Amino acid sequence: MANSKNPDDVDWDDAARMELEPDAVHEGEGGYYFDCPECGSPATIDNIIEEGRCNGYLNEQVEGVDVDMATVSCSARLQLELAYTADPQSET
């Protein structure tokens, strides 16, 4: 999943991965977000998809979330991945 904001030089095969539990998704006034696994600041879904970074890296406050972005330092590059499988079509 490459885009102009997220360089192709990232080797996503070597990236750390984590499964998200239902309580990992938070809702703020501006939408849904996750906690960045590196710095703990909010990482809005839009910023992960569009910028590949958390709000701490981008120095963007999330409305309704009390985090002092001036004290956050982060170098994490983030990517969302949706995995799925489908049942084979039954032949009846």
Side-chain angles (χ1 to χ4, degrees), residues 3-89:
N3 62 40
S4 61
K5 306 271 186 183
N6 204 359
D8 289 331
D9 65 349
V10 174
D11 186 357
W12 290 109
D13 291 334
D14 289 339
R17 288 188 163 47
M18 58 190 277
E19 287 190 33
L20 299 173
E21 300 293 329
D23 62 347
V25 182
H26 309 292
E27 185 175 8
E29 293 175 22
Y32 294 98
Y33 66 93
F34 303 100
D35 295 327
C36 176
E38 182 174 320
C39 69
S41 73
T44 59
I45 293 174
D46 286 347
N47 280 345
I48 295 172
I49 293 171
E50 294 173 10
E51 306 287 341
R53 301 291 189 159
C54 68
N55 290 47
Y57 176 88
L58 297 169
N59 199 24
E60 292 182 5
Q61 190 68 37
V62 174
E63 288 184 43
V65 180
D66 188 25
V67 174
D68 182 7
M69 294 301 174
T71 63
V72 175
S73 174
C74 188
S75 63
R77 292 189 182 177
L78 304 171
Q79 172 179 287
L80 290 177
E81 180 177 272
L82 177 66
Y84 74 97
T85 185
D87 292 332
Q89 296 291 329

